[in-house]
Short mmCIF file of all heavy atoms in Angstrom, two decimals:
data_model
loop_
_atom_site.label_atom_id
_atom_site.label_comp_id
_atom_site.label_asym_id
_atom_site.label_seq_id
_atom_site.Cartn_x
_atom_site.Cartn_y
_atom_site.Cartn_z
N ALA A 108 -25.15 -26.77 -1.42
CA ALA A 108 -25.13 -27.75 -2.48
C ALA A 108 -24.34 -29.00 -2.24
O ALA A 108 -24.42 -29.94 -3.05
CB ALA A 108 -24.54 -27.09 -3.82
N GLY A 109 -23.72 -29.02 -1.11
CA GLY A 109 -22.97 -30.24 -0.71
C GLY A 109 -21.56 -30.41 -1.18
O GLY A 109 -20.94 -31.47 -1.25
N PHE A 110 -20.99 -29.21 -1.66
CA PHE A 110 -19.65 -29.38 -2.20
C PHE A 110 -18.55 -29.06 -1.15
O PHE A 110 -17.42 -29.40 -1.24
CB PHE A 110 -19.44 -28.47 -3.43
CG PHE A 110 -20.16 -28.91 -4.55
CD1 PHE A 110 -21.40 -28.15 -4.95
CD2 PHE A 110 -19.91 -29.96 -5.39
CE1 PHE A 110 -22.16 -28.64 -5.99
CE2 PHE A 110 -20.64 -30.43 -6.50
CZ PHE A 110 -21.77 -29.67 -6.86
N LEU A 111 -18.99 -28.25 -0.04
CA LEU A 111 -18.20 -27.90 1.03
C LEU A 111 -19.00 -28.41 2.30
O LEU A 111 -20.19 -28.42 2.28
CB LEU A 111 -17.93 -26.46 1.13
CG LEU A 111 -16.97 -25.86 0.16
CD1 LEU A 111 -16.77 -24.39 0.46
CD2 LEU A 111 -15.58 -26.47 0.21
N ALA A 112 -18.23 -28.70 3.35
CA ALA A 112 -18.85 -29.08 4.67
C ALA A 112 -18.09 -28.25 5.72
O ALA A 112 -16.92 -28.04 5.61
CB ALA A 112 -18.82 -30.58 4.90
N VAL A 113 -18.78 -27.99 6.78
CA VAL A 113 -18.12 -27.25 7.90
C VAL A 113 -17.76 -28.27 8.93
O VAL A 113 -18.57 -29.04 9.36
CB VAL A 113 -19.12 -26.21 8.49
CG1 VAL A 113 -18.46 -25.45 9.67
CG2 VAL A 113 -19.61 -25.21 7.44
N SER A 114 -16.46 -28.30 9.33
CA SER A 114 -15.92 -29.21 10.28
C SER A 114 -16.44 -28.94 11.68
O SER A 114 -16.46 -27.80 12.08
CB SER A 114 -14.39 -29.18 10.30
OG SER A 114 -13.99 -29.88 11.38
N GLU A 115 -16.95 -30.05 12.32
CA GLU A 115 -17.38 -29.85 13.77
C GLU A 115 -16.24 -29.64 14.68
O GLU A 115 -16.40 -29.16 15.76
CB GLU A 115 -18.20 -31.07 14.19
CG GLU A 115 -19.59 -31.08 13.42
CD GLU A 115 -20.35 -32.40 13.83
OE1 GLU A 115 -19.96 -33.03 14.81
OE2 GLU A 115 -21.33 -32.65 13.15
N VAL A 116 -15.00 -30.03 14.28
CA VAL A 116 -13.84 -29.87 15.04
C VAL A 116 -13.33 -28.42 15.02
O VAL A 116 -13.16 -27.91 16.22
CB VAL A 116 -12.72 -30.78 14.59
CG1 VAL A 116 -11.49 -30.70 15.37
CG2 VAL A 116 -13.16 -32.26 14.58
N ASP A 117 -13.10 -27.87 13.96
CA ASP A 117 -12.44 -26.52 13.98
C ASP A 117 -13.35 -25.46 13.27
O ASP A 117 -13.01 -24.24 13.27
CB ASP A 117 -11.11 -26.59 13.30
CG ASP A 117 -11.14 -26.98 11.88
OD1 ASP A 117 -12.25 -27.08 11.28
OD2 ASP A 117 -10.07 -27.21 11.31
N GLY A 118 -14.51 -25.89 12.87
CA GLY A 118 -15.45 -24.81 12.19
C GLY A 118 -15.09 -24.43 10.90
O GLY A 118 -15.68 -23.51 10.21
N LYS A 119 -13.98 -24.94 10.33
CA LYS A 119 -13.48 -24.56 9.01
C LYS A 119 -14.21 -25.35 7.87
O LYS A 119 -14.86 -26.35 8.17
CB LYS A 119 -12.06 -24.67 8.87
CG LYS A 119 -11.29 -23.74 9.85
CD LYS A 119 -9.80 -23.82 9.69
CE LYS A 119 -9.28 -22.91 10.82
NZ LYS A 119 -8.02 -22.40 10.69
N LYS A 120 -14.21 -24.81 6.72
CA LYS A 120 -14.87 -25.33 5.56
C LYS A 120 -13.82 -26.29 4.84
O LYS A 120 -12.76 -25.86 4.62
CB LYS A 120 -15.43 -24.40 4.68
CG LYS A 120 -16.56 -23.59 5.39
CD LYS A 120 -16.69 -22.19 4.80
CE LYS A 120 -17.58 -21.29 5.55
NZ LYS A 120 -17.02 -20.63 6.70
N TYR A 121 -14.36 -27.50 4.48
CA TYR A 121 -13.46 -28.40 3.71
C TYR A 121 -14.37 -28.98 2.56
O TYR A 121 -15.43 -29.19 2.70
CB TYR A 121 -13.01 -29.60 4.66
CG TYR A 121 -12.15 -29.17 5.77
CD1 TYR A 121 -12.57 -28.84 7.10
CD2 TYR A 121 -10.80 -28.92 5.48
CE1 TYR A 121 -11.65 -28.40 8.08
CE2 TYR A 121 -9.87 -28.47 6.49
CZ TYR A 121 -10.44 -28.19 7.73
OH TYR A 121 -9.50 -27.79 8.69
N PRO A 122 -13.64 -29.39 1.51
CA PRO A 122 -14.32 -30.04 0.35
C PRO A 122 -14.86 -31.40 0.74
O PRO A 122 -14.23 -32.14 1.40
CB PRO A 122 -13.30 -30.10 -0.72
CG PRO A 122 -12.05 -29.89 -0.15
CD PRO A 122 -12.19 -29.16 1.21
N THR A 123 -16.02 -31.69 0.23
CA THR A 123 -16.63 -33.00 0.33
C THR A 123 -16.08 -33.85 -0.82
O THR A 123 -15.45 -33.24 -1.69
CB THR A 123 -18.19 -32.95 0.31
OG1 THR A 123 -18.51 -32.41 -0.99
CG2 THR A 123 -18.72 -32.12 1.39
N PRO A 124 -16.40 -35.08 -0.85
CA PRO A 124 -16.00 -35.85 -2.07
C PRO A 124 -16.59 -35.28 -3.39
O PRO A 124 -15.91 -35.25 -4.37
CB PRO A 124 -16.54 -37.31 -1.81
CG PRO A 124 -16.44 -37.38 -0.33
CD PRO A 124 -16.95 -35.96 0.17
N ALA A 125 -17.77 -34.72 -3.34
CA ALA A 125 -18.43 -34.11 -4.40
C ALA A 125 -17.66 -32.81 -4.81
O ALA A 125 -17.42 -32.49 -5.93
CB ALA A 125 -19.85 -33.68 -4.23
N GLY A 126 -17.11 -32.02 -3.83
CA GLY A 126 -16.34 -30.93 -3.98
C GLY A 126 -14.96 -31.28 -4.73
O GLY A 126 -14.43 -30.60 -5.63
N ASN A 127 -14.41 -32.32 -4.15
CA ASN A 127 -13.13 -32.92 -4.76
C ASN A 127 -13.35 -33.27 -6.27
O ASN A 127 -12.55 -33.01 -7.09
CB ASN A 127 -12.61 -34.10 -4.09
CG ASN A 127 -12.08 -33.80 -2.73
OD1 ASN A 127 -12.36 -34.55 -1.72
ND2 ASN A 127 -11.32 -32.65 -2.52
N GLY A 128 -14.59 -33.73 -6.63
CA GLY A 128 -14.91 -34.12 -7.90
C GLY A 128 -14.99 -33.00 -8.91
O GLY A 128 -14.82 -33.19 -10.06
N ILE A 129 -15.32 -31.84 -8.39
CA ILE A 129 -15.41 -30.67 -9.29
C ILE A 129 -14.09 -29.82 -9.37
O ILE A 129 -13.98 -28.85 -10.04
CB ILE A 129 -16.59 -29.75 -9.00
CG1 ILE A 129 -16.46 -29.17 -7.67
CG2 ILE A 129 -17.86 -30.45 -9.25
CD1 ILE A 129 -17.48 -27.96 -7.37
N GLY A 130 -13.12 -30.25 -8.44
CA GLY A 130 -11.79 -29.50 -8.49
C GLY A 130 -11.54 -28.69 -7.25
O GLY A 130 -10.64 -27.85 -7.30
N ILE A 131 -12.21 -28.89 -6.14
CA ILE A 131 -11.94 -28.21 -4.91
C ILE A 131 -10.96 -29.04 -4.06
O ILE A 131 -11.24 -30.20 -3.94
CB ILE A 131 -13.18 -27.80 -4.08
CG1 ILE A 131 -14.22 -27.03 -4.93
CG2 ILE A 131 -12.84 -27.08 -2.82
CD1 ILE A 131 -15.56 -26.89 -4.30
N SER A 132 -9.90 -28.51 -3.67
CA SER A 132 -8.93 -29.29 -2.86
C SER A 132 -8.30 -28.54 -1.69
O SER A 132 -8.57 -27.32 -1.55
CB SER A 132 -7.81 -29.78 -3.72
OG SER A 132 -7.05 -28.60 -4.30
N ILE A 133 -7.55 -29.14 -0.87
CA ILE A 133 -6.81 -28.58 0.30
C ILE A 133 -5.38 -28.53 0.02
O ILE A 133 -4.85 -29.58 -0.50
CB ILE A 133 -7.13 -29.37 1.62
CG1 ILE A 133 -8.51 -29.47 1.99
CG2 ILE A 133 -6.23 -28.83 2.69
CD1 ILE A 133 -9.05 -28.17 2.59
N ALA A 134 -4.87 -27.38 0.23
CA ALA A 134 -3.29 -27.28 0.03
C ALA A 134 -2.65 -26.85 1.40
O ALA A 134 -3.46 -26.15 2.17
CB ALA A 134 -3.01 -26.19 -1.03
N ILE A 135 -1.54 -27.24 1.69
CA ILE A 135 -0.85 -26.74 2.88
C ILE A 135 0.13 -25.64 2.52
O ILE A 135 0.92 -25.80 1.63
CB ILE A 135 0.01 -27.96 3.52
CG1 ILE A 135 -0.89 -29.11 3.72
CG2 ILE A 135 0.59 -27.44 4.78
CD1 ILE A 135 -2.01 -29.06 4.79
N HIS A 136 -0.02 -24.46 3.14
CA HIS A 136 0.81 -23.34 2.93
C HIS A 136 1.58 -23.03 4.19
O HIS A 136 1.21 -23.50 5.29
CB HIS A 136 -0.06 -22.16 2.63
CG HIS A 136 -0.59 -22.21 1.14
ND1 HIS A 136 -0.81 -21.02 0.42
CD2 HIS A 136 -0.95 -23.27 0.37
CE1 HIS A 136 -1.32 -21.47 -0.72
NE2 HIS A 136 -1.41 -22.72 -0.76
N SER A 137 2.63 -22.26 4.12
CA SER A 137 3.39 -21.84 5.27
C SER A 137 3.73 -20.34 5.15
O SER A 137 3.97 -19.84 4.09
CB SER A 137 4.77 -22.61 5.31
OG SER A 137 5.51 -22.12 6.44
N ASN A 138 3.58 -19.69 6.25
CA ASN A 138 3.95 -18.27 6.35
C ASN A 138 5.34 -18.04 6.91
O ASN A 138 5.66 -16.95 7.21
CB ASN A 138 2.94 -17.44 7.01
CG ASN A 138 2.77 -17.89 8.46
OD1 ASN A 138 3.57 -18.63 9.00
ND2 ASN A 138 1.83 -17.34 9.23
N GLY A 139 6.12 -19.05 7.10
CA GLY A 139 7.45 -19.00 7.64
C GLY A 139 7.44 -19.30 9.15
O GLY A 139 8.43 -19.67 9.79
N TYR A 140 6.23 -19.20 9.75
CA TYR A 140 6.13 -19.47 11.28
C TYR A 140 5.28 -20.76 11.44
O TYR A 140 5.56 -21.47 12.35
CB TYR A 140 5.49 -18.32 11.91
CG TYR A 140 6.23 -17.05 11.91
CD1 TYR A 140 5.91 -16.05 11.02
CD2 TYR A 140 7.32 -16.85 12.75
CE1 TYR A 140 6.59 -14.88 11.03
CE2 TYR A 140 8.01 -15.78 12.77
CZ TYR A 140 7.69 -14.70 11.90
OH TYR A 140 8.43 -13.54 11.87
N THR A 141 4.26 -20.90 10.65
CA THR A 141 3.41 -22.02 10.85
C THR A 141 2.80 -22.56 9.51
O THR A 141 2.76 -21.69 8.57
CB THR A 141 2.26 -21.63 11.80
OG1 THR A 141 1.50 -22.85 12.17
CG2 THR A 141 1.36 -20.59 11.24
N GLU A 142 2.39 -23.79 9.51
CA GLU A 142 1.71 -24.19 8.40
C GLU A 142 0.22 -24.15 8.50
O GLU A 142 -0.32 -24.19 9.68
CB GLU A 142 2.00 -25.70 8.12
CG GLU A 142 3.51 -25.81 7.56
CD GLU A 142 3.79 -27.27 7.23
OE1 GLU A 142 3.03 -28.23 7.65
OE2 GLU A 142 4.78 -27.50 6.48
N TYR A 143 -0.54 -23.93 7.45
CA TYR A 143 -1.99 -23.86 7.52
C TYR A 143 -2.63 -24.38 6.24
O TYR A 143 -2.00 -24.42 5.26
CB TYR A 143 -2.41 -22.31 7.80
CG TYR A 143 -1.96 -21.40 6.75
CD1 TYR A 143 -2.67 -20.98 5.69
CD2 TYR A 143 -0.70 -20.85 6.85
CE1 TYR A 143 -2.20 -20.06 4.73
CE2 TYR A 143 -0.19 -19.92 5.96
CZ TYR A 143 -1.07 -19.57 4.87
OH TYR A 143 -0.52 -18.69 3.84
N LYS A 144 -3.91 -24.78 6.38
CA LYS A 144 -4.58 -25.43 5.20
C LYS A 144 -5.35 -24.26 4.46
O LYS A 144 -5.85 -23.35 5.04
CB LYS A 144 -5.63 -26.41 5.71
CG LYS A 144 -4.86 -27.53 6.33
CD LYS A 144 -5.95 -28.65 6.83
CE LYS A 144 -5.18 -29.79 7.50
NZ LYS A 144 -6.19 -30.70 8.08
N VAL A 145 -5.39 -24.37 3.17
CA VAL A 145 -6.09 -23.46 2.28
C VAL A 145 -6.96 -24.25 1.35
O VAL A 145 -6.47 -25.24 0.71
CB VAL A 145 -5.02 -22.58 1.48
CG1 VAL A 145 -5.79 -21.69 0.48
CG2 VAL A 145 -4.12 -21.82 2.41
N VAL A 146 -8.26 -23.83 1.27
CA VAL A 146 -9.10 -24.51 0.23
C VAL A 146 -8.89 -23.87 -1.11
O VAL A 146 -8.85 -22.59 -1.18
CB VAL A 146 -10.61 -24.44 0.64
CG1 VAL A 146 -11.49 -25.01 -0.44
CG2 VAL A 146 -10.85 -25.03 1.97
#
Side-chain angles (χ1 to χ4, degrees):
F110 295 105
L111 288 180
V113 180
S114 168
E115 292 180 11
V116 176
D117 60 10
K119 296 186 184 203
K120 296 157 190 77
Y121 294 99
T123 63
N127 291 137
I129 64 165
I131 304 173
S132 62
I133 297 284
I135 306 294
H136 287 209
S137 174
N138 62 8
Y140 296 102
T141 186
E142 289 186 342
Y143 56 95
K144 295 178 182 177
V145 177
V146 177

